[in-house]
Amino acid sequence: MTPDVILILSILTITVVLLIAEWIPMEVTALLSLGAVALTGLVSPVEALSGFSNPAVVTVWAVFILSGGLTRTGVANVIGRFVLRLAGSKETLMIIVIRTTAGVMSAVMNNVAVAALMLPVVMDIARHTGSPPSRLLMPLAYGSLLGGLTTQIGTPPNILVSEALREAGLKSFTFFDFTPVGLSLMFSGIVFMALIGRHLLPQRDVAKESTDRKKIDWQDQFDLQERLFQVRVPRDSILVNKTLAQVKMGSVLGWNVIGITRGGRTLLAPGPGDILQAGDRLTVEGRIENLNELNNWQQLTIEPGGIDLQKPYSKEIKIGEVLLPVNSRYVGSTLNSLGFRARFGVNVLALRRNDQVKRTNLADEPLLRGDMLLMAGPADRLEEFEPRAGFEQFRYVEGSELSDVYNLHERLMVMQIPPESTLVGKSLKESRLGDALGSRVLGILRGSDPIIMPEPDEVLQADDRLLVEGRLSDFEILQGLEQLEIERRNQPNIEKLVSREMGVLEAILSPQTTLERKTLRQINFREKFGLNVLALWRRGQAYRSNLRDVELRFGDALLLFGPRNKLQLLGHESDFIVLTESAQEELRLEKMKLSTVIMAGILLPVIFGWVPIYIAAVVGAALMVLTGCLTMDEAYRQIEWKAVFLIAGMLPLGTALDKTGAARLIAEGVVALVGPLGPNAVMLGLVALTFLATCFVPTAALVVLMAPIVFNTSTNMGLSPYGLIMAIAMAASASFTTPISHPANILVMGPGGYRFVDYLKVGGLLTLLILVVLMVVMPVFWPLVP
């Protein structure tokens, strides 16, 4: 084993571990592997960057745009609605029609786009027929995956292996070369789901009888009733005449106020600006026991006399001021959405706007042009603001200006944590002190070594003295919350909140969303959309409290409550898929015939071999934009950039495996292990390995890594590479076993209420069936022995 082989295998191992663990984004892992093979000299700089101009990569992003054009002009919707209308209400027939429709559409469209497109249609069918969505959505996802196997552009692995053959000096696959095997697998999958798989599907989200009445279907899935209760505002409460934003129930208690009953009338989905009055009954979703946490803050002792802000600060920590100019990219953002502390390494102490100074509740305050930010942090981090784009006029602020202009001394307090406090041993984030006081803890005075700008995970200790910016009135608010009276007699009923004006709707993050890894608080969801998030369903589990600080993930299902007109408007947001067809964004139906002609016009030359597929796809994508089927912004959003960067970054790793001889070494090991058992055993071993790896490794990356191994194995054994490489592509695309093995599986997980084990049961058996059919069918159409 040469040093180069050892090196590339080490890089490969680290890359695979990072892809499985997802400690960093997968596309970043791919780019790091690209840099690693280039910097170590395993490939040339030109070879390292060749992935971005690789015809397979170009074809992938162009097909995304073509799929988007068919979607936005309503072609797929019309086909889907027409065919699904034929299904009737019989479950077996519905499953067959859904899988067939999704499969046919996936032959020429991206399979994730097909699943996203048909999701609202299938949800509406489930409602109209009384069928549980969980009985129909997994067949939809699996149907879209199997349909992608039938053509050259149906799935990225098919595109990648076709290009791999061309680069290896072999004849590339044509458009319909995948069709015989793909249709066999697709038909087998349909039969399996209709006869066996449907009996393994769960019965969740069902409008079933309970206590002599029908429950609303989503109530079973999200289990809302156990978290609903009412509290009353006492007549002498400090909370009277305060807005919901001022009392901070969401940040302090993790409660979601979904209704205010006053004088026999109920205001549903109240906004942050609605004012509380004496005797109000609040319908709340959350944990009653969170009231006990208020005792944590009552145990703190406030030291009299305050403190000079600069006193605990070391020589390294300075205070400075910076201007937000008119053209700043940060105008309209909030400190929270920017992740200001983590991004710039400084704390914002105050905001000066004209002659007004704001010193608390800054995290969610939208920044305006002309705002002055007062910041504290290390001198070197502060000085970075002087040349930083988006900011101007940085200067240090010292001495009397802090008290005369910003009046910080009025808001600074030192609070001590007694040894018996339940806050001892909790991190700052867990304590939620910052949320309770509307500001950050600026420092922890612990012995002779103060902790300036403590991190959120800093653990509190007995006798810690916390330097905070706040007011005694903030503690009065906390006392007012503690005095809220729980209404034991009146148990609110979620069904009674739904009316002609107010409704409940499920929505999921779209494949093109820009909101992944952001919190509802960071995107100002309540203020922006005027809707309450009642619950979140993620990977088989419902979350119903403290949702404002939960990072959103692709596949999350949000249960939303609010005015029906605002629920309708959410369907126009490209970041969400609203799970009812009536709320979908308006389509460009007048462009339907045009997009159909464009798609047919690029496929025919490819089918007859007149034009390479990557050229035809790029021309087709350009025509979709040029003719108005898509805008340029929509075209950019349709491209799954993660997949593009993942493939482009992994291709040099595959090149390095081949050039260093590592692929040949692995192939020789495969031949030595299963070669004596014959060609079919070799194919079985490679296919089984691919099926197993799809549970952890992205399919496109897997195909890139397996291709050089397959070519070396076929050379060593004197086999035809066509059957082997196609089998690998089919196995990589048939990702059924886990929800994380393919985005289409994640997409339906929330709306279907699926759990991990559901994919193991249904997808595991389907995978075994596909493996058997593949082993039988592949040698018939693509013999391994020339």
Side-chain angles (χ1 to χ4, degrees):
M1 189 178 293
T2 66
D4 282 351
V5 171
I6 295 174
L7 185 58
I8 188 58
L9 291 179
S10 300
I11 294 173
L12 174 64
T13 302
I14 294 171
T15 299
V16 171
V17 169
L18 290 175
L19 288 173
I20 294 172
E22 291 191 59
W23 293 321
I24 58 177
M26 291 186 292
E27 61 272 28
V28 175
T29 297
L31 294 177
L32 289 175
S33 72
L34 180 156
V37 294
L39 292 174
T40 52
L42 297 177
V43 297
S44 69
V46 173
E47 289 173 323
L49 298 177
S50 62
F52 291 97
S53 60
N54 187 282
V57 176
V58 173
T59 306
V60 167
W61 65 251
V63 168
F64 282 133
I65 296 176
L66 291 169
S67 298
L70 295 177
T71 300
R72 290 293 296 121
T73 57
V75 173
N77 291 62
V78 170
I79 296 173
R81 282 199 303 269
F82 175 76
V83 176
L84 292 175
R85 228 180 265 127
L86 305 176
S89 58
K90 190 175 180 181
E91 184 180 84
T92 303
L93 185 57
M94 281 194 293
I95 288 175
I96 293 173
V97 171
I98 287 171
R99 290 199 64 150
T100 303
T101 305
V104 171
M105 292 167 62
S106 293
V108 293
M109 291 179 63
N110 173 258
N111 40 32
V112 180
V114 170
L117 178 71
M118 291 187 62
L119 189 52
V121 180
V122 174
M123 289 293 289
D124 280 346
I125 288 175
R127 293 188 188 99
H128 295 152
T129 60
S131 299
S134 61
R135 308 287 292 177
L136 303 177
L137 292 181
M138 194 177 288
L140 167 63
Y142 289 170
S144 69
L145 294 181
L146 287 172
L149 305 180
T150 58
T151 66
Q152 187 183 14
I153 64 170
T155 184
N158 289 6
I159 298 171
L160 287 168
V161 297
S162 299
E163 179 58 23
L165 285 169
R166 189 188 65 81
E167 289 188 345
L170 300 169
K171 182 183 177 183
S172 179
F173 287 128
T174 60
F175 191 84
F176 287 121
D177 279 347
F178 295 87
T179 305
V181 178
L183 284 178
S184 301
L185 298 179
M186 180 177 162
F187 177 76
S188 300
I190 292 172
V191 173
F192 165 81
M193 193 59 75
L195 299 181
I196 300 173
R198 69 185 184 90
H199 298 294
L200 303 175
L201 292 169
Q203 291 271 0
R204 296 197 190 101
D205 200 8
V206 193
K208 57 185 177 183
E209 293 290 332
S210 178
T211 62
D212 301 322
R213 60 182 175 81
K214 281 197 173 185
K215 279 189 178 182
I216 297 176
D217 51 8
W218 40 261
Q219 194 173 331
D220 282 333
Q221 177 179 331
F222 290 96
D223 221 1
L224 290 179
Q225 199 62 45
E226 70 173 46
R227 293 288 174 84
L228 280 181
F229 59 95
Q230 287 189 329
V231 295
R232 191 175 68 84
V233 180
R235 297 198 174 278
D236 57 350
S237 173
I238 189 68
L239 305 182
V240 172
N241 294 326
K242 296 284 193 305
T243 66
L244 284 176
Q246 289 173 322
V247 302
K248 297 180 283 195
M249 287 188 186
S251 57
V252 176
L253 296 172
W255 287 0
N256 187 7
V257 180
I258 59 179
I260 301 176
T261 302
R262 179 184 303 153
R265 300 185 63 181
T266 300
L267 171 65
L268 295 174
D274 285 306
I275 297 174
L276 298 178
Q277 295 183 12
D280 281 351
R281 282 188 293 115
L282 311 181
T283 300
V284 176
E285 181 198 20
R287 296 177 180 270
I288 295 180
E289 58 269 24
N290 284 359
L291 271 176
N292 299 330
E293 292 188 9
L294 293 176
N295 292 326
N296 294 339
W297 299 309
Q298 301 300 327
Q299 296 167 352
L300 298 173
T301 58
I302 302 175
E303 297 183 6
I307 192 170
D308 180 0
L309 178 62
Q310 296 186 17
K311 194 171 184 180
Y313 278 16
S314 64
K315 293 181 180 180
E316 291 78 21
I317 302 296
K318 301 293 183 182
I319 299 175
E321 182 185 66
V322 73
L323 170 72
L324 211 65
V326 173
N327 60 348
S328 174
R329 72 184 77 167
Y330 305 116
V331 169
S333 302
T334 66
L335 298 178
N336 206 345
S337 64
L338 291 173
F340 201 92
R341 163 67 189 273
R343 187 172 184 175
F344 301 117
V346 298
N347 269 337
V348 176
L349 304 178
L351 182 152
R352 181 155 60 93
R353 182 174 295 160
N354 300 323
D355 295 329
Q356 301 295 318
V357 175
K358 186 176 178 64
R359 290 157 292 195
T360 55
N361 300 313
L362 299 177
D364 298 316
E365 178 73 20
L367 300 177
L368 303 180
R369 61 191 66 177
D371 283 350
M372 301 292 295
L373 303 180
L374 185 71
M375 307 171 297
D380 58 335
R381 300 304 299 268
L382 285 174
E383 289 173 1
E384 290 177 3
F385 280 87
E386 194 162 359
R388 192 188 298 274
F391 299 98
E392 291 180 0
Q393 300 179 22
F394 170 78
R395 67 185 185 91
Y396 285 112
V397 180
E398 298 178 345
S400 61
E401 191 173 357
L402 289 173
S403 56
D404 295 343
V405 177
Y406 287 98
N407 299 318
L408 287 183
H409 62 287
E410 298 177 0
R411 299 291 180 91
L412 290 179
M413 299 183 295
V414 176
M415 300 186 300
Q416 187 170 20
I417 302 177
E420 67 275 9
S421 172
T422 54
L423 290 175
V424 174
K426 288 187 175 182
S427 68
L428 278 175
K429 183 176 182 180
E430 292 170 338
S431 74
R432 297 213 300 267
L433 276 169
D435 286 331
L437 299 173
S439 70
R440 292 185 63 89
V441 176
L442 303 179
I444 300 177
L445 309 181
R446 182 180 295 162
S448 58
D449 189 17
I451 302 173
I452 306 303
M453 296 175 58
E455 296 294 335
D457 58 356
E458 181 67 38
V459 177
L460 299 174
Q461 298 181 14
D463 297 321
D464 275 352
R465 299 166 65 222
L466 309 180
L467 175 62
V468 299
E469 187 182 10
R471 296 171 295 186
L472 289 175
S473 59
D474 293 324
F475 281 89
E476 294 174 352
I477 294 290
L478 298 180
Q479 291 172 351
L481 291 174
E482 191 176 19
Q483 293 166 1
L484 288 171
E485 300 171 358
I486 299 174
E487 294 278 311
R488 302 287 183 184
R489 294 173 299 174
N490 299 322
Q491 179 65 26
N493 190 327
I494 188 67
E495 296 180 43
K496 294 181 179 179
L497 301 179
V498 178
S499 64
R500 182 176 297 177
E501 294 78 24
M502 308 296 292
V504 174
L505 195 69
E506 278 187 84
I508 59 175
L509 294 185
S510 71
Q512 296 84 31
T513 186
T514 59
L515 304 181
E516 193 171 14
R517 298 186 180 275
K518 293 182 180 178
T519 65
L520 295 172
R521 181 179 179 183
Q522 288 174 329
I523 63 177
N524 291 312
F525 187 91
R526 178 67 182 82
E527 292 78 6
K528 184 176 181 180
F529 300 109
L531 300 170
N532 282 28
V533 180
L534 299 181
L536 180 149
W537 182 270
R538 174 181 295 169
R539 298 193 177 182
Q541 185 174 352
Y543 298 86
R544 292 153 297 188
S545 56
N546 299 317
L547 297 179
R548 66 202 300 266
D549 293 316
V550 175
E551 286 189 351
L552 298 176
R553 294 285 188 270
F554 176 65
D556 286 350
L558 302 177
L559 187 67
L560 306 174
F561 173 73
R564 292 190 183 275
N565 61 329
K566 292 185 177 180
L567 291 171
Q568 288 287 119
L569 289 175
L570 191 69
H572 295 200
E573 293 288 328
S574 57
D575 285 309
F576 296 97
I577 299 174
V578 177
L579 300 185
T580 178
E581 197 178 7
S582 61
Q584 295 299 301
E585 186 177 3
E586 189 174 347
L587 301 172
R588 299 188 182 97
L589 298 177
E590 71 280 4
K591 302 283 187 179
M592 185 188 301
K593 291 182 179 178
L594 191 57
S595 66
T596 305
V597 170
I598 291 173
M599 195 68 187
I602 70 157
L603 290 182
L604 287 175
V606 172
I607 292 170
F608 288 109
W610 299 335
V611 179
I613 188 169
Y614 44 92
I615 298 298
V618 169
V619 172
L623 289 175
M624 285 288 188
V625 176
L626 185 64
T627 56
C629 297
L630 281 174
T631 66
M632 199 65 231
D633 285 342
E634 288 170 341
Y636 282 127
R637 288 183 70 97
Q638 291 297 326
I639 299 173
E640 193 177 329
W641 291 106
K642 288 184 178 181
V644 171
F645 280 98
L646 179 65
I647 297 170
M650 293 299 293
L651 282 171
L653 188 59
T655 302
L657 281 172
D658 192 33
K659 285 185 64 176
T660 59
R664 186 181 69 253
L665 189 67
I666 297 172
E668 289 172 353
V670 171
V671 172
L673 184 65
V674 294
L677 301 177
N680 287 336
V682 172
M683 185 169 75
L684 176 62
L686 292 172
V687 169
L689 176 63
T690 305
F691 270 127
L692 180 64
T694 57
C695 299
F696 314 104
V697 181
T699 57
L702 182 59
V703 169
V704 170
L705 297 178
M706 291 295 294
I709 297 173
V710 168
F711 288 140
N712 278 275
T713 301
S714 62
T715 300
N716 289 347
M717 292 193 65
L719 303 177
S720 169
Y722 293 99
L724 285 177
I725 198 68
M726 183 179 287
I728 294 302
M730 299 279 182
S733 298
S735 312
F736 311 122
T737 313
T738 69
I740 59 174
S741 58
H742 198 280
N745 296 343
I746 299 177
L747 193 68
V748 301
M749 190 176 190
Y754 297 120
R755 294 184 169 88
F756 200 93
V757 68
D758 297 324
Y759 289 90
L760 288 177
K761 287 192 301 184
V762 183
L765 284 178
L766 180 57
T767 298
L768 290 176
L769 173 66
I770 296 300
L771 175 61
V772 172
V773 175
L774 194 60
M775 292 302 301
V776 172
V777 173
M778 187 63 72
V780 174
F781 294 102
W782 297 93
L784 296 180
V785 180

